[in-house]
Amino acid sequence: MRYKGKLSIKLILTLTVVILVSIYSTTNKSTFFNPADDPNPKIQKLKLQPNFKAEHLYSPSEAGNGSWVSMTFDDKGRMITSDQYGYLYRLTIPPIGADTNTNKLKVEKLEIKVEGDTSSGKIKMGFAQGLLYAFNSLYVMVNNNPTPPATMNRGSGLYRLQDTDGDDQYDKITVLKSLVTPGGEHGPHSIVLAPDKQSIYVISGNHTDAPEMDAYRLPKTWKEDNLFPLIKDPNGHANDRYAPGGWIAKIDPEGKRWELISAGYRNAFDIAFNEDDELFTYDADMEWDFGMPWYRPTRINHATSGSEYGWRTGNSKWSPAYPDNLPAVLNIGQGSPTNLITVKDAKFPEKYRRSLFAFDWSFGIIYAIKLRPQGSSYTADAEMFLSGSPLPLTDGIIGPDGALYFLTGGRKLDSDLYRVYYGDNTSTNAPLTTSLNPAQTQLQNTRKQLEKFHEGPNPNAIGTVWPYLKNSDRFIRYAARIAVEHQPVSEWQEKALTEKDPQILTQAIIALARSTSNADLKPRMVNALATINFSQLPESQKVDVVRAFELIILRMGKPEGAAYSKMVAYLNAQFPAKTNELNRILSKVLVNVEAPGAVSKTMALMAVAKDDDNGQKTFTSSSDLVARNPQYGLDIAGMLAKTPPAQKIYFLTVLSEAKTGWTPALREKYFQWYNTAFSFKGGNSYVGFIEKARKTALANAPKDKVEHYNTLSGNSLLITNGRRVAVVGNPKGPGRDWKMEDALQVLSKDSTDRNFANGKMLFGAALCSNCHSMRGEGAGAVGPDLTQLGTRFSNRDILESIILPSKVISDQYAATEFQMKDGTTITGRLKNEENGKYYISMNPFSPQTLQVIEKKNVVATKLSNVSIMYPGTINRLNKEELKDLLAYLTSAGNKNHEVYKPKANKATTASVK
């Protein structure tokens, strides 16, 4: 049966949500329980697995000790933590079951006293994103921009704290490595002790420059390596960040030798070793990319020696199918990863001890990642071990007592410390044995033997690793190629060019393209690849061959003469292909080199393209999200119903740079499709990406037709960056100069029913919709999308962000101060920088209006500590209007939310912290 009309679609979505929530509620009664017998609401909101118990131990924010984001235990069993923007603290925690009247939790602020340090009024050490106690020392990974008026003079980097006189106080601070980062939350992160307890591993986000290393497991030959037309993020995020992205390094205890292990991450906060001593990380997505073909979900990655995971700026992220990077072990979905820990030492059931725990800040979920050996690597399943709303998880660790300790907070939010244990926590667990069977052990040993050649040139390397370039195991094949790239090119160049096996030849040419700049080799490399019988290859090897051609073009320039003709004829014969992945890479290569018929073929594909999961099927599917967040189910379902067609968007972007191969009819169809593209809902940058592609295409159109194509492609639709603006009215007032305590008191005494329509109107009247979006309505380009606000933040947090917008500023939305040579200062959001110029958006209500300043006239730049959000936006609202606006924000614009139920039908009135 086919349903027509908006009403039917909405009905279907509503029924879908109801059914899913009903199924979820019914089938999960035995899986989760709410510990309602605990009088503490901080415990009541948690969902735990059976027989697990939770304790709320401490609220640092309520005690005035900040918002904690990292933790470790010292050799005396005491916990050491750090405020994100403040001091280190040391806690003595009562044992499980102890009488808290006689055994009280003790909190000590660590004010480090260093001989000779005469600075006063400054924090000596803190701002830690990572902490580790090892080698009789406390290692501190600082993420801090010490630009005045900073409260700590020490900048980002890895520090070692020691107690040299035995008085149980740290008195020596050693800088092991200063790290360059502009500040924000993509800086240096966690520190982990190696399984052999002889070395340390550290990880940093993609806004941290990779320092000069003493050794590189991943050869230092990285580049952007993508022929896809580059569009940097339209909202300016990470536009000056390039390869290698986020990275992992191994260091000795003294920090004297640094070795790069793995790279290509966006913003992975943490790393963990499983029971097989293999290293994993949990990388972040870019939520603004949601719905785009280059969107990559949060994911668990196996950080093997020399591994590369393909993060690149803007829309240039690599497909996981490309042979020069590795695929995820498990794609989770949307979220904000903050922590990954091993659970092998916990006093938990074995199935959890063999898991990694992955923390998601956005949705307040701890996932149990159940790894399963597959070849020389792993695959994985996941389950939700613990959740709460709001529960902004920041860090966790298994304590000496075998219990799980975790923190919530970050960005100066309310912060709490919890302990979770199983049963009475008295079980004794034997050390875990390996999860590998003999065949899997052999495969991992093979990979590790190949990885030994990542340490540098070895005369035995080529003879040993060459046959493994055709191994059926992708991680072994990858390790073999990286080993080849570590050897002098002169030792294997000729062997590569004369290789007869198609798979070895492909991998060898990829290695050669990445390892030499000798453009004279181009004809021989093209001729070698063209000998491969493409039609006889499996899908993955076909992608590898096209990727090899792409790397030749990227690294050496477009082939010429006979080599160009041979390459074009070879690839053109394969296009179009049968799969989305192959059509993507073929289209971008062939359009780039202006192959005959490439434009018409791509247009034909765009007309009929259907999406698949592009090899990135996620653990949290749409039904999972609906079921786990039933109050937002309808909104999520609605967004997914209007998700952009990724394959069509890919072809649309590829064709934006096509200069030849067009007919008037093809151009008409192409530009007309932009109207369709603007009708979909995607992430915060979706419309900006489409608009930038449109402008590129217009620049490549005939000059006498530009005005026509501009109109045809939907220029008139672009109002406030293409987002529909919510209907705006006027508040009745009278308003007042709202202060935090006054507003909280008003909300705490709310005993009347809330008005959804009025709250929606006030979302616009209070200027929220000028910068934010809610369920797709509003500008949504200047500030964060507020649809999930209620799941992450309390009323206090929301009010604080409105009344005191400069108290905490996410780096994604921070303005930049430009100090000019003439002594003036220009402040605005940096949207782009190229050709010696900065492009700055200075008006949040007109973000598309850019001011251009010359770099040569700028003396210095720094992130502004003043929010671009104006204070006082709610000062025109009276008490009831403030309540309606907060209800609307909390409900995510869902009129069926609990906040709109008649007060008389509620058992209790929601409390406000």
Side-chain angles (χ1 to χ4, degrees):
M1 182 180 295
R2 179 175 296 175
Y3 291 89
K4 298 180 180 180
K6 294 182 179 178
L7 183 60
S8 296
I9 293 173
K10 184 175 181 180
L11 177 61
I12 293 168
L13 291 172
T14 304
L15 290 173
T16 301
V17 173
V18 171
I19 292 169
L20 285 168
V21 173
S22 176
I23 292 172
Y24 180 78
S25 302
T26 302
T27 59
N28 282 274
K29 285 181 179 178
S30 61
T31 303
F32 293 116
F33 69 92
N34 187 356
D37 55 339
D38 194 302
N40 189 340
K42 293 177 184 289
I43 296 295
Q44 290 178 359
K45 69 180 178 181
L46 300 180
K47 291 182 178 179
L48 301 168
Q49 292 287 356
N51 298 321
F52 282 90
K53 300 176 183 178
E55 292 179 276
H56 177 259
L57 300 176
Y58 184 63
S59 294
S61 53
E62 293 178 6
N65 290 331
S67 191
W68 292 357
V69 296
S70 57
M71 62 201 308
T72 189
F73 280 94
D74 67 12
D75 59 342
K76 294 181 173 63
R78 298 170 298 187
M79 178 183 289
I80 300 175
T81 68
S82 180
D83 175 16
Q84 185 175 3
Y85 303 110
Y87 287 92
L88 301 178
Y89 296 85
R90 186 162 60 189
L91 286 71
T92 302
I93 301 174
I96 294 171
D99 184 351
T100 55
N101 292 318
T102 57
N103 271 290
K104 293 186 180 297
L105 184 144
K106 299 176 182 177
V107 181
E108 172 191 3
K109 182 187 290 184
L110 292 179
E111 302 196 45
I112 316 299
K113 297 180 180 180
V114 179
E115 186 176 352
D117 187 347
T118 59
S119 62
S120 61
K122 296 286 185 180
I123 299 173
K124 301 300 186 296
M125 182 54 59
F127 289 74
Q129 292 271 326
L131 293 168
L132 172 68
Y133 188 89
F135 308 107
N136 202 31
S137 306
L138 178 65
Y139 293 87
V140 182
M141 186 65 91
V142 171
N143 185 14
N144 178 47
N145 187 345
T147 304
T151 55
M152 186 173 79
N153 290 332
R154 292 181 172 86
S156 295
L158 182 62
Y159 296 80
R160 185 182 191 182
L161 277 59
Q162 294 170 288
D163 172 15
T164 63
D165 58 12
D167 67 350
D168 202 29
Q169 295 294 321
Y170 297 108
D171 53 36
K172 181 180 179 181
I173 300 177
T174 305
V175 184
L176 300 186
K177 180 77 72 173
S178 294
L179 296 172
V180 178
T181 176
E185 296 169 345
H186 290 233
H189 295 314
S190 293
I191 324 165
V192 173
L193 186 66
D196 63 6
K197 296 180 171 54
Q198 299 301 306
S199 57
I200 295 168
Y201 285 74
V202 299
I203 185 167
S204 287
N206 61 346
H207 283 202
T208 309
D209 293 349
E212 194 63 33
M213 304 277 182
D214 300 288
Y216 293 84
R217 291 297 184 109
L218 177 66
K220 194 180 177 182
T221 58
W222 49 71
K223 292 187 178 181
E224 299 306 290
D225 284 340
N226 201 333
L227 283 177
F228 194 58
L230 172 62
I231 302 177
K232 294 183 178 181
D233 180 68
N235 288 312
H237 187 66
N239 281 355
D240 61 344
R241 307 308 304 175
Y242 299 100
W247 48 270
I248 299 171
K250 177 184 177 182
I251 66 173
D252 60 20
E254 290 74 34
K256 294 180 179 178
R257 186 177 189 275
W258 287 62
E259 181 179 29
L260 184 74
I261 299 298
S262 179
Y265 303 102
R266 181 176 184 263
N267 194 30
F269 261 76
D270 213 344
I271 44 181
F273 290 91
N274 73 343
E275 70 269 22
D276 302 322
D277 296 343
E278 292 289 315
L279 184 63
F280 296 84
T281 189
Y282 182 20
D283 199 11
D285 65 344
M286 174 45 160
E287 65 273 22
W288 294 354
D289 290 349
F290 185 76
M292 305 304 285
W294 48 87
Y295 172 75
R296 306 198 314 177
T298 66
R299 54 193 192 152
I300 304 296
N301 297 319
H302 187 188
T304 56
S305 170
S307 54
E308 154 77 81
Y309 278 93
W311 177 88
R312 297 297 186 266
T313 192
N315 66 346
S316 288
K317 301 165 187 69
W318 297 358
S319 165
Y322 293 172
D324 40 339
N325 75 160
L326 289 168
V329 168
L330 177 68
N331 292 303
I332 300 289
Q334 291 176 284
S336 297
T338 51
N339 188 45
L340 186 70
I341 59 171
T342 179
V343 196
K344 59 186 177 183
D345 295 324
K347 292 182 179 179
F348 288 3
E350 184 173 338
K351 78 166 185 173
Y352 292 116
R353 294 179 63 213
R354 290 191 180 276
S355 300
L356 302 177
F357 277 8
F359 287 41
D360 174 24
W361 184 86
S362 288
F363 290 98
I365 298 172
I366 299 177
Y367 294 105
I369 310 299
K370 297 176 284 187
L371 297 166
R372 300 195 313 275
Q374 184 179 72
S376 70
S377 182
Y378 297 80
T379 186
D381 293 322
E383 70 174 62
M384 190 163 62
F385 172 76
L386 181 151
S387 68
S389 180
L391 195 71
L393 297 157
T394 57
D395 200 10
I397 192 172
I398 302 301
D401 57 358
L404 168 67
Y405 292 79
F406 70 85
L407 291 168
T408 65
R411 297 186 181 177
K412 300 186 179 179
L413 297 179
D414 288 347
S415 186
D416 293 288
L417 171 64
Y418 293 85
R419 174 165 60 193
V420 174
Y421 55 94
Y422 184 76
D424 57 6
N425 200 55
T426 59
S427 62
T428 56
N429 293 326
L432 292 176
T433 58
T434 180
S435 60
L436 306 173
N437 63 36
Q440 292 160 345
T441 299
Q442 180 58 46
L443 288 170
Q444 281 206 7
N445 287 340
T446 297
R447 173 172 56 77
K448 291 175 181 178
Q449 289 167 5
L450 297 173
E451 290 171 351
K452 290 180 180 178
F453 294 112
H454 298 177
E455 297 173 3
N458 186 309
N460 299 319
I462 297 302
T464 303
V465 309
W466 201 260
Y468 290 101
L469 292 173
K470 64 176 295 183
N471 193 276
S472 60
D473 185 291
R474 181 166 174 181
F475 280 74
I476 288 177
R477 197 163 62 244
Y478 180 93
R481 180 181 54 77
I482 292 295
V484 169
E485 293 182 20
H486 274 285
Q487 311 312 311
V489 175
S490 58
E491 294 184 7
W492 54 273
Q493 172 181 300
E494 197 61 29
K495 187 176 181 66
L497 292 168
T498 57
E499 177 60 53
K500 300 303 181 185
D501 182 277
Q503 191 168 18
I504 294 178
L505 170 61
T506 303
Q507 297 298 322
I509 293 299
I510 289 171
L512 189 57
R514 288 168 44 88
S515 303
T516 182
S517 58
N518 185 359
D520 293 339
L521 295 176
K522 272 192 297 184
R524 294 189 65 191
M525 295 168 74
V526 168
N527 289 337
L529 288 173
T531 64
I532 296 174
N533 188 336
F534 195 88
S535 64
Q536 297 299 311
L537 300 176
E539 166 76 11
S540 62
Q541 290 183 37
K542 290 178 179 179
V543 172
D544 292 356
V545 170
V546 184
R547 179 62 171 167
F549 278 111
E550 182 181 14
L551 288 169
I552 292 172
I553 298 167
L554 286 160
R555 297 287 184 126
M556 299 178 172
K558 187 166 65 175
E560 301 167 343
Y564 169 81
S565 299
K566 179 168 284 191
M567 178 185 70
V568 169
Y570 181 84
L571 293 178
N572 226 350
Q574 323 307 330
F575 185 58
K578 294 181 179 180
T579 65
N580 281 357
E581 185 67 54
L582 198 49
N583 278 326
R584 286 187 181 190
I585 192 169
L586 281 167
S587 67
K588 73 171 174 178
V589 172
L590 289 168
V591 169
N592 179 271
V593 300
E594 301 181 281
V599 168
S600 60
K601 289 180 180 180
T602 304
M603 283 291 295
L605 282 173
M606 192 169 81
V608 298
K610 303 292 183 182
D611 285 346
D612 55 25
D613 61 24
N614 194 35
Q616 299 192 86
K617 185 177 181 180
T618 59
F619 165 66
T620 52
S621 66
S622 58
S623 58
D624 290 328
L625 290 173
V626 170
R628 288 173 183 162
N629 296 275
Q631 68 193 70
Y632 302 113
L634 184 58
D635 175 65
I636 293 171
M639 182 183 70
L640 292 173
K642 295 183 179 179
T643 298
Q647 191 74 358
K648 290 178 184 287
I649 297 296
Y650 191 93
F651 293 141
L652 188 81
T653 308
V654 164
L655 289 167
S656 67
E657 285 194 347
K659 298 177 177 63
T660 62
W662 294 99
T663 66
L666 285 176
R667 281 200 195 273
E668 288 282 319
K669 288 181 180 179
Y670 175 75
F671 281 109
Q672 197 168 33
W673 202 82
Y674 279 97
N675 270 287
T676 304
F678 285 130
S679 69
F680 295 103
K681 287 184 180 181
N684 214 16
S685 291
Y686 171 71
V687 170
F689 276 121
I690 298 300
E691 172 60 359
K692 284 199 169 189
R694 190 182 77 96
K695 286 184 175 179
T696 299
L698 287 170
N700 290 318
K703 301 304 180 187
D704 62 340
K705 288 286 189 178
V706 169
E707 186 175 347
H708 168 67
Y709 292 140
N710 187 38
T711 302
L712 182 66
S713 57
N715 185 61
S716 62
L717 298 176
L718 295 171
I719 302 171
T720 317
N721 281 355
R723 291 276 189 160
R724 291 180 291 114
V725 180
V727 177
V728 177
N730 289 303
K732 294 179 180 179
R736 60 189 293 183
D737 183 11
W738 285 104
K739 305 297 183 186
M740 278 293 299
E741 294 309 316
D742 295 338
L744 284 170
Q745 187 175 15
V746 165
L747 293 178
S748 67
K749 295 181 178 180
D750 185 16
S751 60
T752 56
D753 295 340
R754 298 275 49 90
N755 187 314
F756 172 80
N758 197 45
K760 184 174 182 179
M761 180 276 291
L762 292 166
F763 182 71
L767 305 180
C768 305
S769 63
N770 285 54
C771 299
H772 303 276
S773 59
M774 178 77 78
R775 301 184 71 185
E777 294 190 357
V782 178
D785 184 288
L786 302 183
T787 306
Q788 296 172 358
L789 197 66
T791 63
R792 303 181 184 181
F793 304 108
S794 66
N795 279 341
R796 175 183 287 276
D797 298 326
I798 296 171
L799 281 172
E800 191 171 73
S801 295
I802 296 172
I803 297 172
L804 303 170
S806 295
K807 185 172 182 180
V808 57
I809 306 169
S810 168
D811 58 300
Q812 288 184 231
Y813 303 101
T816 300
E817 292 183 10
F818 299 84
Q819 184 180 342
M820 310 302 291
K821 285 183 178 179
D822 62 6
T824 61
T825 299
I826 296 175
T827 302
R829 288 191 68 193
L830 178 61
K831 303 288 282 188
N832 198 11
E833 55 178 297
E834 59 185 12
N835 300 324
K837 298 176 181 178
Y838 291 115
Y839 295 81
I840 306 165
S841 173
M842 299 179 66
N843 181 357
F845 295 157
S846 182
Q848 71 275 18
T849 303
L850 303 180
Q851 178 172 339
V852 182
I853 59 176
E854 300 282 346
K855 283 188 176 182
K856 64 183 180 182
N857 296 328
V858 178
V859 175
T861 66
K862 67 174 183 178
L863 292 179
S864 174
N865 58 8
V866 178
S867 174
I868 59 176
M869 177 176 169
Y870 298 144
T873 55
I874 59 172
N875 286 350
R876 293 192 297 154
L877 277 55
N878 61 36
K879 292 181 180 180
E880 295 305 312
E881 288 170 332
L882 178 65
K883 296 174 187 178
D884 282 342
L885 176 61
L886 263 290
Y888 183 75
L889 293 173
T890 302
S891 73
N894 177 8
K895 64 181 179 181
N896 295 317
H897 188 277
E898 181 182 355
V899 74
Y900 294 116
K901 292 180 180 179
K903 291 291 191 294
N905 294 340
K906 294 184 180 180
T908 59
T909 300
S911 63
V912 180
K913 290 185 285 183

